[in-house]
Amino acid sequence: MAHSGRAAGGPPLPPQRRSLQQRFGPHAKARNGRGTVRRLLALYARWKRELILVVGLTVLSTVASLAVPYLLGLAVDCFRVGGVDRTALAALLVLLVGVIAAQWLGNWGRRRWMEIISQRMVTQIRRDCFAKLGKLPLSYFDRHPHGDTMSRLVSDADNVSTVAAESVTQLFSSLLTVAGALTIMVFLSPLLTLVALATVPVIALCTRLISQRSRTLYRRQADELGRLSGLVQETLSNGRTVKLYHRQAEVLEQFDHINEVLCTTSVKAQVCAGLLSPLVNMVNHLGFALIACTGGVLALHGVVRIGLVVSFLGYSRQLGRPLNSIAALFSSIQQAVAGAERLFDILDEPEMPADAPEAVSPQTVRGEVAFEDVSFSYEPEKSVLEHVSLRVEAGEVAAFVGETGAGKSTLINLLTRAYEPSAGVIRLDGIPLEQYSRASLGRCFSVVLQDTAFFRGTVLENLRYARPEATKDEVMQAAKLANAHGFIQRLPQGYDTIISGAAEELSQGQRQLLAIARALVSQAPILILDEATSNVDTTTERRIQQATMRLLKGRTCFLIAHRPSTIRRADRIFVVGKQGIMESGTYDELMKKRGVYWSMLQ
Ligand SMILES: Nc1ncnc2c1ncn2[C@@H]1O[C@H](COP(=O)(O)OP(=O)(O)OP(=O)(O)O)[C@@H](O)[C@H]1O
Ligand SMILES: [Mg+2]
């Protein structure tokens, strides 16, 4: 009988053996346990042949472990008052060695194959979930914190694989062992079976009481650890703010408090869980003694053989152990089912609408954009844009101004199809956006967003992100236009310098220059600059502007900027206000009109 070394009735794994991720992982209870289990089993079905092997190996190891006490009993009976039956004893010993070897082989094989199946299954789920993330609309990520999604893919998946590999077969073999041991015990001696079962209620009661208490304590411990890690993470990521406002002492005090609570809770949890094993052992020993005494008396009166008593003692041991672990297994299986459910939740999320079957992928796009009566809200009942209509001709530079939070970036989100409008149509060259294939639409835009994001890799790789086939000369040309060439060359390895995703080794302005260069490399027909030069000094900004204007000839450009100087030369200026476009026209027209734009400049 395999024994994982778990504390009977305790939590699934002692906390020191659980990864940090698991400890901080959510402890949600499964909402639709049965459905989830059925779905998991359906996934298992892919490895039918391996599963049959696992079942066979489990039966082999269980039967072998059940045979051991019986053979031992027979071996004892070889010793008689008159002498020893050597041949029978030798044969039994050889058989015993064989059976023990079979038991070991069965256990090893079972674990190996189950581990392979479970890991493969979880690898598949994890892959499916990761692929799914790419198909989810951005609104999904607005609703779910990144940390939560990450913990689903990492720790929940890990939970599922651990439990799937260990507990499921253990549960199966435990049930098999209990059933087998009980049957043989009844067959050997019904009377002694009753004596052996006398301790079961006591063990069950101890297990139940202690495991309930320790599970609560472990959960509390995990919560405290979660709080502690939250504090550490926040302090690390906001380190500068903490220092700026001299809050180190307060942070330390908070830390000390949580750390202290964590310490006491951990001690309580460990002590409580640690109580069970010795207690169960003691009851088991008592039971053992009870069987030994009763068995001895019965043997003396010639009711049973001595060997039978020996076998019986063996079975009573085998009965106790799985009974204890079954309760523990149930709770860990429950936790894994909850984890699986969280993974399935991701898989069940509605995806972004797929490309229409007749989707177009034009080779060239002129870049004429029209919003027709477009309305949009990120959250229901909190309208951001209402009935917006606007038109930008191909090759025009359209500037968008408006107060913070007016919806300028939202217009860009809709144009690039990061979000879908709730009403109205957006057309590119007269064709509604949703009739383009997503890939071809992606090639229409070079975008510099308000918050720049890069990927870990060299500067060159990052600049080629939108067009990997760009030559190094082209990249350098774009970097020169964006005024980024100079500082890139001063980096330790120039264009081959590795930058991190956050590019924290660069200044904010440098990051913007890099993002502009990346957009220029992509050479898409429509350039979108959302506050692209807000962190750059005015001289550099002017230089970039002149360069991009030259480059922009024939391309449509959407320019969002707060500085009036930046947009003065735009062909058309749109003033975005409460839920829509309030004014539009050329700079001169708007100044003459003395409306919103004019008053913004005063
Ligand atoms: N992902 C989002 N989820 C929910 N609401 C959002 C989201 N993004 C923006 N909003 C809300 O939509 C409104 C418009 O935001 P938007 O980013 O378009 O403003 P903006 O005009 O670009 O402002 P700024 O000049 O500060 O960049 C704001 O009220 C904002 O709170
Ligand atoms: Mg914005």
Side-chain angles (χ1 to χ4, degrees):
M1 159 79 221
H3 188 58
S4 72
R6 292 177 171 190
L13 282 170
Q16 63 272 20
R17 288 219 340 243
R18 290 160 58 181
S19 69
L20 275 183
Q21 288 281 10
Q22 271 175 295
R23 281 199 256 175
F24 297 137
H27 296 278
K29 270 228 152 76
R31 268 169 289 139
N32 176 12
R34 213 172 283 174
T36 310
V37 169
R38 217 172 292 143
R39 223 166 138 179
L40 271 177
L41 290 180
L43 284 176
Y44 269 121
R46 283 191 214 172
W47 290 279
K48 221 173 257 163
R49 263 191 316 185
E50 287 87 344
L51 273 177
I52 293 173
L53 187 68
V54 168
V55 171
L57 288 167
T58 310
V59 172
L60 172 74
S61 69
T62 312
V63 169
S65 74
L66 285 172
V68 172
Y70 190 77
L71 293 176
L72 275 178
L74 290 184
V76 168
D77 282 339
C78 290
F79 296 88
R80 300 210 188 88
V81 184
V84 184
D85 184 349
R86 282 170 199 276
T87 19
L89 186 62
L92 276 171
L93 286 181
V94 171
L95 199 60
L96 257 173
V97 171
V99 166
I100 290 172
Q103 185 191 353
W104 177 84
L105 198 73
N107 267 332
W108 174 80
R110 179 196 78 177
R111 281 181 168 229
R112 179 175 186 274
W113 283 103
M114 205 54 209
E115 197 64 56
I116 292 174
I117 298 172
S118 306
Q119 293 295 351
R120 275 198 204 147
M121 180 185 78
V122 170
T123 304
Q124 185 66 42
I125 300 183
R126 209 180 258 151
R127 199 218 153 263
D128 290 350
C129 284
F130 192 72
K132 177 84 184 193
L133 291 184
K135 295 182 193 158
L136 290 177
L138 285 180
S139 54
Y140 173 85
F141 302 97
D142 292 342
R143 281 183 285 118
H144 297 84
H146 294 343
D148 179 58
T149 308
M150 239 167 83
S151 99
R152 287 175 198 236
L153 257 77
V154 180
S155 77
D156 285 325
D158 198 44
N159 249 340
V160 175
S161 72
T162 316
V163 172
E166 274 187 33
S167 305
V168 177
T169 52
Q170 220 191 324
L171 184 68
F172 178 54
S173 82
S174 292
L175 290 174
L176 213 62
T177 307
V178 169
L182 261 180
T183 316
I184 299 175
M185 282 161 85
V186 172
F187 170 73
L188 287 178
S189 160
L191 183 62
L192 280 179
T193 309
L194 277 181
V195 177
L197 287 180
T199 56
V200 170
V202 185
I203 292 180
L205 189 71
C206 292
T207 308
R208 205 185 149 78
L209 290 179
I210 294 181
S211 70
Q212 266 175 357
R213 173 84 185 127
S214 66
R215 210 172 304 149
T216 319
L217 285 168
Y218 274 127
R219 178 136 330 159
R220 208 176 298 157
Q221 184 193 12
D223 289 345
E224 291 304 327
L225 252 170
R227 276 178 62 196
L228 197 74
S229 90
L231 182 73
V232 171
Q233 196 226 331
E234 200 182 77
T235 314
L236 283 179
S237 52
N238 299 343
R240 201 171 302 168
T241 315
V242 173
K243 279 205 176 66
L244 275 176
Y245 289 101
H246 304 291
R247 300 286 293 187
Q248 289 98 329
E250 284 82 354
V251 170
L252 184 61
E253 201 178 307
Q254 265 176 304
F255 184 90
D256 281 342
H257 174 69
I258 303 176
N259 206 15
E260 185 56 40
V261 177
L262 173 64
C263 174
T264 35
T265 322
S266 305
V267 169
K268 272 191 211 161
Q270 305 289 351
V271 168
C272 179
L275 204 65
L276 187 61
S277 236
L279 206 65
V280 168
N281 256 341
M282 198 179 75
V283 178
N284 267 341
H285 285 315
L286 281 177
F288 203 73
L290 206 62
I291 297 170
C293 290
T294 325
V297 172
L298 290 178
L300 274 181
H301 288 83
V303 185
V304 294
R305 294 174 285 115
I306 280 283
L308 185 140
V309 180
V310 172
S311 302
F312 214 90
L313 286 171
Y315 287 119
S316 77
R317 283 227 153 150
Q318 289 202 344
L319 194 65
R321 217 189 284 156
L323 273 184
N324 295 335
S325 60
I326 285 174
L329 290 177
F330 270 122
S331 80
S332 67
I333 286 176
Q334 205 178 30
Q335 205 181 337
V337 168
E341 198 167 63
R342 282 163 54 80
L343 288 165
F344 290 148
D345 275 352
I346 295 187
L347 292 178
D348 295 342
E349 279 287 331
E351 296 179 5
M352 290 186 288
D355 286 346
E358 66 280 7
V360 293
S361 309
Q363 282 304 309
T364 50
V365 168
R366 282 180 293 120
E368 173 200 303
V369 172
F371 278 58
E372 291 170 5
D373 209 19
V374 171
S375 300
F376 176 74
S377 64
Y378 290 100
E379 293 148 24
E381 288 160 32
K382 223 186 113 197
S383 152
V384 177
L385 299 173
E386 271 180 22
H387 308 292
V388 171
S389 294
L390 62 90
R391 201 179 160 79
V392 177
E393 303 300 334
E396 264 188 353
V397 175
F400 292 80
V401 293
E403 62 184 48
T404 288
K408 305 180 295 293
S409 302
T410 304
L411 283 172
I412 302 305
N413 283 343
L414 295 177
L415 177 59
T416 51
R417 241 190 133 190
Y419 293 83
E420 307 280 340
S422 34
V425 188
I426 303 172
R427 294 178 192 273
L428 175 60
D429 286 2
I431 305 171
L433 288 187
E434 60 270 20
Q435 287 181 18
Y436 286 87
S437 71
R438 278 191 189 275
S440 72
L441 197 63
R443 284 192 295 272
C444 292
F445 305 107
S446 302
V447 192
V448 183
L449 292 181
Q450 253 175 316
D451 38 351
T452 51
F454 299 96
F455 296 89
R456 197 183 160 71
T458 65
V459 171
L460 191 65
E461 283 164 355
N462 268 289
L463 291 180
R464 273 183 184 150
Y465 195 70
R467 201 160 64 89
E469 70 277 10
T471 65
K472 189 165 179 181
D473 274 350
E474 284 175 313
V475 171
M476 275 164 53
Q477 195 59 35
K480 277 179 192 155
L481 283 176
N483 264 268
H485 183 69
F487 87 81
I488 294 175
Q489 274 193 318
R490 285 193 296 278
L491 291 174
Q493 274 93 39
Y495 281 84
D496 296 319
T497 310
I498 296 204
I499 55 169
S500 67
E504 268 162 354
E505 53 276 62
L506 303 177
S507 79
Q508 290 208 11
Q510 289 173 331
R511 264 177 259 165
Q512 285 194 329
L513 298 184
L514 216 54
I516 294 172
R518 177 174 62 185
L520 296 182
V521 170
S522 87
Q523 292 183 350
I526 301 175
L527 179 69
I528 296 173
L529 302 172
D530 188 351
E531 292 288 344
T533 47
S534 55
N535 289 312
V536 176
D537 66 273
T538 33
T539 323
T540 311
E541 184 181 35
R542 200 169 319 124
R543 253 189 281 153
I544 296 174
Q545 237 180 13
Q546 283 158 359
T548 36
M549 289 296 166
R550 244 184 293 132
L551 183 95
L552 275 175
K553 285 231 169 347
R555 289 201 226 174
T556 311
C557 178
F558 281 73
L559 193 68
I560 299 177
H562 284 141
R563 289 184 205 160
S565 59
T566 318
I567 54 167
R568 188 171 290 206
R569 285 148 50 113
D571 296 308
R572 205 184 296 261
I573 298 171
F574 294 92
V575 182
V576 186
K578 277 246 167 302
Q579 282 135 26
I581 306 291
M582 299 168 76
E583 244 175 34
S584 70
T586 62
Y587 177 78
D588 293 336
E589 282 168 13
L590 292 180
M591 289 310 278
K592 218 177 281 167
K593 194 176 168 197
R594 293 199 155 219
V596 190
Y597 183 65
W598 177 84
S599 56
M600 275 169 74
L601 295 188
Q602 299 313 303

